[in-house]
Amino acid sequence: MRSIVVLISGSGTNLQAIMDYIATEKLDANIELVLSNRPNAYGLQRAAEASIKTAVIDHKAFDSRESFDQEMIKVIDPYKPDLIVLAGFMRILSTDFVEHYEGRMINIHPALLPAYKGLHTHQRALADGVSHHGASVHYVTPELDSGTVIAQGRVPVMDDDTEERLQERVHHIEHIVYPEVVKWFSEGRLTYQNHQAYMDGELLETPVIIDQESA
Ligand code: GAR
């Protein structure tokens, strides 16, 4: 069984979706640890309720990004994770940290990458009047939000959407796409070699698309 460490900063609804997949045996994996950089992240409570170990490393206690990241490595590595899952982990990671976990660290970003890297993605998508928006699960590489995109959940943007409504729709698709990707990994379908991602043994050239209509 694959072992996973999940990094969070907040509510942890994506963590919950992965935990639910495991609980209903749709996913054969074990979450060894949930690590948060914020002591009051609600996701810590979700993990504790499921009897999953938790740890807090408060980034404010460190004087540099590098020293914070080194402390995270110290805490994570004894669990020997096969996969690090960033689930709403709102810290930029140092190159050393990213390279340490290259090919075994994935992130979910609330946009159809390469569109809307960074913050305020829903607001920016609405301002541009795009017809579709969504979320991307990608491998983490040193450049922010730029690693190979594994899968995307796509949702329509409605004429009368508010940022809140759009965010809710994106969140809903995130909770389908992220556990699916973790499942592909745990089944050995999703692999990574020589800086490249493979799905079922084939080079992953375009992301797998999951449309809201078909989800
Ligand atoms: C998710 O919408 C995720 O896409 C986003 O944070 C939210 C976390 O929600 N991640 C990023 O913006 C990363 N740059 P959650 O804590 O309820 O899973």
Side-chain angles (χ1 to χ4, degrees):
M1 197 194 298
R2 304 298 170 102
S3 60
I4 300 173
V5 167
V6 183
L7 269 53
I8 60 164
S9 298
S11 155
T13 61
N14 280 286
L15 163 69
Q16 185 71 56
I18 294 168
M19 291 190 319
D20 291 348
Y21 249 56
I22 293 173
T24 55
E25 296 179 9
K26 285 195 233 164
L27 168 61
D28 186 26
N30 191 36
I31 302 177
E32 306 281 345
L33 176 74
V34 171
L35 172 59
S36 171
N37 65 309
R38 295 210 181 111
N40 56 357
Y42 182 65
L44 289 169
Q45 228 164 294
R46 296 179 189 271
E49 273 161 28
S51 304
I52 294 170
K53 276 193 199 157
T54 61
V56 174
I57 304 175
D58 189 341
H59 63 276
K60 293 198 204 102
F62 294 81
D63 54 16
S64 69
R65 191 177 298 288
E66 286 70 23
S67 57
F68 168 69
D69 284 4
Q70 285 308 314
E71 183 61 23
M72 286 206 294
I73 290 177
K74 242 194 257 173
V75 170
I76 294 169
D77 275 3
Y79 292 93
K80 300 193 188 336
D82 297 305
L83 187 68
I84 312 275
V85 174
L86 305 182
F89 186 69
M90 303 305 281
R91 298 283 306 164
I92 290 176
L93 296 162
S94 61
T95 300
D96 280 355
F97 185 90
V98 173
E99 285 179 349
H100 186 75
Y101 296 113
E102 197 201 334
R104 49 191 181 119
M105 180 157 63
I106 58 176
N107 179 46
I108 190 156
H109 180 74
L112 298 174
L113 291 170
Y116 309 120
K117 297 176 182 180
L119 297 173
H120 311 299
T121 57
H122 310 304
Q123 193 186 320
R124 287 155 62 205
L126 277 180
D128 286 349
V130 293
S131 65
H132 284 80
H133 185 47
S136 305
V137 176
H138 64 94
Y139 277 103
V140 179
T141 52
E143 201 187 329
L144 187 70
D145 301 330
S146 295
T148 302
V149 179
I150 303 159
Q152 292 184 320
R154 200 161 52 178
V155 302
V157 179
M158 309 298 182
D159 288 345
D160 59 348
D161 257 345
T162 59
E163 203 181 318
E164 215 169 55
R165 275 208 295 264
L166 182 57
Q167 178 173 4
E168 207 173 287
R169 202 171 307 122
V170 171
H171 245 143
H172 177 74
I173 200 100
E174 288 188 351
H175 301 157
I176 296 166
V177 176
Y178 217 2
E180 273 300 314
V181 171
V182 177
K183 184 179 152 88
W184 299 338
F185 171 81
S186 69
E187 292 171 342
R189 295 182 61 194
L190 175 67
T191 54
Y192 192 91
Q193 272 166 27
N194 300 326
H195 312 288
Q196 287 184 309
Y198 294 81
M199 185 71 177
D200 297 328
E202 303 274 328
L203 186 66
L204 187 66
E205 285 181 279
T206 52
V208 178
I209 306 288
I210 298 176
D211 272 307
Q212 188 186 39
E213 290 79 12
S214 62

